[in-house]
Amino acid sequence: QKLRQPSAQACRREERCLQGQKAPMAPAIRSLLVLAIALTAILNLLGTALVPSIQSMPDLVRQACGEKANKDTCVSYLEQIKNCSTKYCQSNKIAGRTAYLNCLRNAMREPGLNLVVGGKSLGKTKMMQALVDEFTEAPVLFVKMRTPGVRNVAQRLEQAAVELQPAMLRKAVLVGLSSDFQKDAVDIASSALQTLVDGAASTMVKPMANTFLSILRSGLNLTSGETVKRFVDQAFEDNMVPVFIIDEANMALPNGGGTVAEDMMAFLIQVTKEEQKASVILLSSDYGYPYRLEVVGLNLQDAVKVIIAPEVEKEPMIEVLTKDWKMSVDLAEACYEHFGGNLFLCKEAVGRLSTMFSMDEADDFEPYDMLDNFDLPGLVLDAATGKHMKNIAKQGWSPIEPDNSSDADAAKEIAKKNFGTAIGRKATTFNLPSKKLMFSDEGVRQVAIPTSLHLKHCIERMVQVLCKK
C-alpha cells in the first residue's frame, strides 16, 4: 500500500506539471545560472569604463597616521610629504620616461622638425634642459619663451644663450647682442672658449668651440636674423647638426601668424625639411597648438614629426611618491589612480588635503575637483564632441572618421579646450593603447586621445553623470 501511495514530493511535482511549471533546479544548476547572470552583467559593464573605486584619500591619510590619527597628526603628515615633494621638484631628478628621453635624444641628433606636445607641469622643460646639459655632439640654441622679456621668437633666437657642454667646461655664450654689458659677456665667453680650444683633449670639443668662436667674432656685426643663419651654416660646415629648441613655442608663434611668424616658420622648414642642416624641437603645453601652426603654413601631415610627451609610468611614479615623498604605499596607489603620472597634480592634491584637514573639512575632498574643467560638460553634451568624449570614456580613444569634416572639427574643438588631441598613425606616443588597436580600422587615419589619465577619469565621470539624466 505504501508503494502505491504517491509521496508528497511526487504530488507537488505532478501538480506543477499540470500547471505548466518546471520542477525546481538542482543546486548545481542554480549556481551555474547565477554565475551566468553575473558574467553577463560584467560583460555589459565592459561597454562603459568606470572611474576607479578606491578608498577615500582622507581615510588613507588617517590610516597612514595609525592610532594617533587626528587633525593635527594628519596635517603634520601631509606637510612632511609636501616638503619632500617640493625638494624633489626642485632637484634635477627625472622620474621614468626613459623611452621618451631616448626619443628626444634621437631627435636632437638628426635633421628634422619635431613638435613635442604635452600637458602643463609634466616636466617637459626640466627633461629638455637635462638633455641639453648632457649633449656634447653639436651646438644647441635653447630658447625659453617663458623668460620675461621679448615674445618674438626671432628676437629670442638672436638673444638666446648658446649652451656649450664639453666635458671640461660649460658656458652660456650670448650671440647677436650689442649692449656694452652683453659685449663684455661675449668677450669673456670667447676667451674661455679660446682657452678650451687651445687645451682641449676631446676631438669633439674643438670643432664645437671653433664653431662658436667663429659666430661670436662676427655675430656682433651681423644684422638681425643673420646670426642664426650663420650659426646653422658654420655648424654644418663643421659636420655637426645644430639644434634649435624652443620651449613653449605656442607663445612664439601666436594666433593669426603674421609676417614674423611666417618668416620664422619658413626659416625652420628651410633648415630642416629642405636643407637637412638642423634639428628643430618645438615644445608646447597647448594641445591646440598644432592647428595654429597650420595658420602659418606648416603641413603637419608632411613636415613635422609629432611626439606626445608622456606622464610618469606607474612603477616609477609609485617609487617617487613612496621613497622620495615619504608617502604610504596605499596613499601613493590612490594618488596614481586619481591623478596618473602627474607629479604636479599629486603635489597640489597633498597641499589641498592638508588645508582641508586643518579646517576639519577633509571628508569633503574630491579628487575630481582638482581642475575646474569648466568646458567639460558642454563638450560631453554637444552631439559632435560628445561622440568623441563617450568613446574616450569607453575605450581611451576615439576614431576620427575619414572625409568627415565635422568629426575632425569636433576633435579640433576638444584639443583647443585641452581635453584631448588628435594624433595620426606616424605620431610617437607612450603609455597609450597600441597603435594596432587604435588604428585597427584601416580607413581611420587619426584618433582623438585624452591629454592625461586624470582627465580621462574626469571625462568618464562626466559622461556617467550627464548621460544618466
Side-chain angles (χ1 to χ4, degrees), residues 295-326:
V295 176
V296 292
L298 187 61
N299 182 352
L300 294 176
Q301 305 297 324
D302 182 35
V304 182
K305 178 181 179 181
V306 177
I307 302 170
I308 305 299
E311 298 179 306
V312 184
E313 303 87 348
K314 183 173 182 177
E315 186 175 338
M317 183 71 175
I318 298 298
E319 183 176 350
V320 168
L321 294 178
T322 54
K323 293 185 178 179
D324 294 279
W325 292 22
K326 311 302 180 187

Side-chain angles (χ1 to χ4, degrees), residues 110 215 380 393:
E110 301 173 359
I215 296 170
V380 172

Side-chain angles (χ1 to χ4, degrees), residues 247-317:
D247 189 27
E248 292 302 337
N250 47 290
M251 300 172 66
L253 300 174
N255 278 319
T259 303
V260 173
E262 290 175 359
D263 289 348
M264 177 49 60
M265 189 53 63
F267 169 74
L268 296 180
I269 293 175
Q270 177 187 338
V271 298
T272 54
K273 185 174 183 291
E274 295 176 5
E275 298 178 353
Q276 294 287 302
K277 286 183 176 180
S279 167
V280 174
I281 301 175
L282 308 177
L283 293 96
S284 176
S285 299
D286 181 0
Y287 283 92
Y289 182 55
Y291 299 108
R292 289 167 52 194
L293 286 177
E294 292 178 340
V295 176
V296 292
L298 187 61
N299 182 352
L300 294 176
Q301 305 297 324
D302 182 35
V304 182
K305 178 181 179 181
V306 177
I307 302 170
I308 305 299
E311 298 179 306
V312 184
E313 303 87 348
K314 183 173 182 177
E315 186 175 338
M317 183 71 175

